[in-house]
Amino acid sequence: MKIVNSVAELDDGCTFVPTMGALHAGHASLFTAARSQSDFVVASIFVNPLQFENSKDLELYPRTPERDIEIARDSGATHLWLPQQSEIYPDNFTKRFAGPIGEIFEGSHRVGHFDGVVTVVSRLFDLLRPTKAIFGEKDFQQLFLIRKLAKSSYKDLEIIAAPTVRESDGLALSSRNIRLNKTDREAATVIFKALVAAKNSQTLEEARRVIFEISSQEPLFKLDYAEIINEGNFAIATQSTLKQRAIIAGWLNGVRLIDNMEMNLSSETPGAR
Ligand code: AMP
């Protein structure tokens, strides 16, 4: 694996996996998926200041550069791009806006977050000019907004979604998990439990109810939002005919965790026919 600091050292046409580092098996699965598509896989690590709402969260974001290099190399990246801030954000860079879907759910709790995400991703795409780019379903609203960005501004770029990698007890892998102490880590399983209970429900109504019920059974978990949305437009799901997804976010002792799961729920009340 070749490590580069400047995009000038990279050709066009790679399969691209952008990250913010503190890599784990979730990121590794993206590199492996990328390598199965192409022999030219560029991973990037750039902790994007624009997508952090406050400087404390940016400061606390974990940084594990040596382990990152090992994980990227061992799981299929052929190139690791470690850009300087001045390469991504020269004085004249154009800020992008995520639009209305960037302001709901995750966006309403982290003002400006998705504007920062679409801005950095468009800068990375403009500089690198990949053929394909892979993003995790773990950040489902982000994936939706990047698909929208690609549709409007990068028509030849293929966006590939990769499934969420989880711990054995269901907790979605996240760079933030290392900030959880033992008690918080155990409490964090409530998120997966709530999603599974929703998936096992019959109707949208029941699923919404059980998600709230189960999340409230864990006193350490402070729920921010839980909803079932249509995958195609992020509107609140009311029909069983469209692809549905439950999304959930909350706090555990100052650490923000998000997750989501595909649903297949009926819009009817059982026995109401
Ligand atoms: P991040 O470094 O958190 O910005 O994430 C970089 C990429 O890895 C994004 O496309 C994420 O959606 C993806 N990712 C993060 N966690 C996971 C996970 N547990 N499983 C699969 N992909 C993930």
Side-chain angles (χ1 to χ4, degrees):
M1 183 178 77
K2 190 172 173 200
I3 301 177
V4 306
N5 289 116
S6 162
V7 78
E9 296 176 64
L10 297 166
D11 292 334
D12 294 359
C14 70
T15 296
F16 180 38
V17 184
T19 81
M20 296 208 299
L23 301 182
H24 50 64
H27 299 107
S29 75
L30 270 50
F31 304 144
T32 306
R35 189 59 182 271
S36 73
Q37 306 262 337
S38 162
D39 283 334
F40 179 23
V41 173
V42 176
S44 67
I45 296 179
F46 179 67
V47 182
N48 174 31
L50 287 193
Q51 71 188 72
F52 287 84
E53 218 183 326
N54 61 64
S55 52
K56 182 114 183 96
D57 198 25
L58 172 62
E59 207 181 287
L60 285 176
Y61 200 79
R63 287 158 173 92
T64 55
E66 275 136 41
R67 201 171 130 69
D68 289 354
I69 293 173
E70 266 174 44
I71 292 179
R73 190 191 50 219
D74 295 348
S75 50
T78 58
H79 295 74
L80 180 62
W81 178 26
L82 305 172
Q84 302 292 315
Q85 180 146 327
S86 56
E87 183 172 33
I88 305 300
Y89 297 130
D91 290 342
N92 62 346
F93 79 94
T94 308
K95 188 144 195 257
R96 293 259 189 172
F97 295 94
I101 308 292
E103 285 165 21
I104 57 177
F105 300 119
E106 209 46 27
S108 74
H109 289 82
R110 302 177 71 190
V111 175
H113 169 71
F114 285 120
D115 295 337
V117 169
V118 293
T119 300
V120 75
V121 169
S122 74
R123 286 295 300 144
L124 293 164
F125 287 170
D126 288 343
L127 289 163
L128 184 63
R129 303 169 59 85
T131 306
K132 298 178 184 181
I134 306 196
F135 292 85
E137 285 185 349
K138 159 75 173 36
D139 300 283
F140 202 76
Q141 194 171 357
Q142 168 175 290
L143 173 64
F144 177 92
L145 291 167
I146 287 165
R147 282 194 194 285
K148 186 167 154 270
L149 170 75
K151 225 180 211 168
S152 68
S153 304
Y154 302 92
K155 292 194 170 57
D156 296 331
L157 174 64
E158 184 186 346
I159 303 294
I160 299 166
T164 301
V165 177
R166 299 178 180 281
E167 301 280 6
S168 54
D169 62 6
L171 180 68
L173 296 191
S174 161
S175 306
R176 291 169 197 267
N177 292 356
I178 53 177
R179 287 171 56 197
L180 299 171
N181 67 31
K182 196 159 175 282
T183 316
D184 301 332
R185 172 63 189 80
E186 273 163 31
T189 56
V190 72
I191 299 172
F192 183 68
K193 285 183 195 139
L195 288 170
V196 169
K199 193 174 177 75
N200 291 334
S201 300
Q202 301 293 311
T203 66
L204 282 161
E205 192 189 341
E206 184 193 342
R208 290 193 171 102
R209 184 165 41 75
V210 300
I211 277 204
F212 285 106
E213 257 171 38
I214 292 183
S215 336
S216 67
Q217 282 163 13
E218 175 47 70
L220 293 175
F221 181 61
K222 304 278 171 276
L223 182 71
D224 251 354
Y225 62 80
E227 192 43 272
I228 299 158
I229 51 104
N230 296 326
E231 290 193 0
N233 59 8
F234 245 82
I236 291 176
T238 54
Q239 298 173 38
S240 48
T241 47
L242 300 174
K243 271 191 124 185
Q244 309 153 343
R245 195 160 283 253
I247 53 172
I248 181 168
W251 295 89
L252 256 169
N253 203 3
V255 180
R256 188 179 177 77
L257 298 175
I258 64 170
D259 203 347
N260 65 83
M261 193 177 281
E262 198 177 343
M263 300 281 129
N264 188 9
L265 300 159
S266 156
S267 52
E268 289 176 24
T269 317
R273 234 183 265 225

